[in-house]
Amino acid sequence: MEKVSINDLNEWTYPVLHSGKEWYVDFFAYDPARGKMRRKKFMLDRYKTARAKKTIAAELIHNLVAKLKNGWNPFVNAGRTRLFTPWAKVMERYRQYLETAVSKGQLKEKTAYDYRSRLRQLELYQEETGNTLGQVSQFCREWAVDYLDYLLYDKDVTARTRNNHRTYLSTLGAWLVDRRYLTQNPIEDIRMLREEEKHRDPLSERQLQQLKEYLNEHNPYYLLACLMVYYGNIRPEELRNIKLGDISISDQKITVRSEISKNRKTQSVGLHDEIVRLMIRLHTFDGTADQDYLFGRDLRPSREQTYINHFRYEWQKVRQALHWDSRFQFYSLKDSGIRDGINAMGLIYARDQARHSDVAVTNLYAKPSHEPHEESKHWDGKL
């Protein structure tokens, strides 16, 4: 018997009739208490004739298959069997519920459309990260927190958008509780973010130097990613989709294609001298093709792009090595780059480099100084 994952509690084999000295129907199902597949046997010897045994066996097999497909497990408490219903099957019923609720006027079409859209986002997350839900019991607080962090840090959504997804998850959790798939809503104690809340801080000049020195020695390929975010203001999800053909060394620019850009526009940003120098040192364009991703599985150019959370996982290692607080995140590099770009080159430059639609958005990154600017003491006034 092939080994079954402990997360695959809905695994089972089709019931089979055995005849001979003993007549019985048996099948295997996953026993969570033992952590392995276990045989379940139904004896038929009390029926006197072969014909009766075959008739009963056929009916028994039919009923068992129906129950097993519906998530029943003979080795799990009867009151908890719905916990192990396959997630895909439950979502199929959920979609049917949305359809019916709209047709009966219990739900607005716009609301149902929004729910289906958010459900599709959940499915895309599972496809991209491999953090898949096998059965309903896996829809838990930890899974939901990972998903919301993915939206906030990898997809770069606002606190408001993240909160909207949290509200949807809670609505979905309540539906699952109502239908007895779950005993309690796992989303209830996940807090909402204040929508003006800053969930990360920019890096100081000293921290930026620490980062550069550390990565130059330990991981120069990840340093290239950090420089791209700091100088190019490129978002992590855009970064993993950049191909070598999007980069022009002669023009010193990177083109962020509409299909990978957050704002769905094709725009170019300047390629800083620091980035060019590091690319040359790392031989980034040697033996590569335009269709290769700049950051592959090992953060080197490759036909296969890096996985969805790679930049964030590498950042956690850096943060631990440098003993930084959790408020300093990979995306803090973009905050720091925009701040320093405003100070060095002005607001309009920073707006265009960050690809913001309005300087008001860019200006949010410019924190007021509590010390007087040196220029205020010496500029050439007209009075």
Side-chain angles (χ1 to χ4, degrees), residues 139-142 144 169 173-174 177 182 184-190:
F139 183 74
C140 60
R141 186 185 191 279
E142 292 74 19
L169 289 179
V177 170
L182 295 176
Q184 61 181 25
N185 190 341
I187 314 302
E188 285 178 349
D189 66 336
I190 299 177

Side-chain angles (χ1 to χ4, degrees), residues 340-354:
D340 295 347
I342 292 172
N343 292 336
M345 302 294 292
L347 192 58
I348 300 302
Y349 156 82
R351 178 201 65 188
D352 293 344
Q353 186 74 350

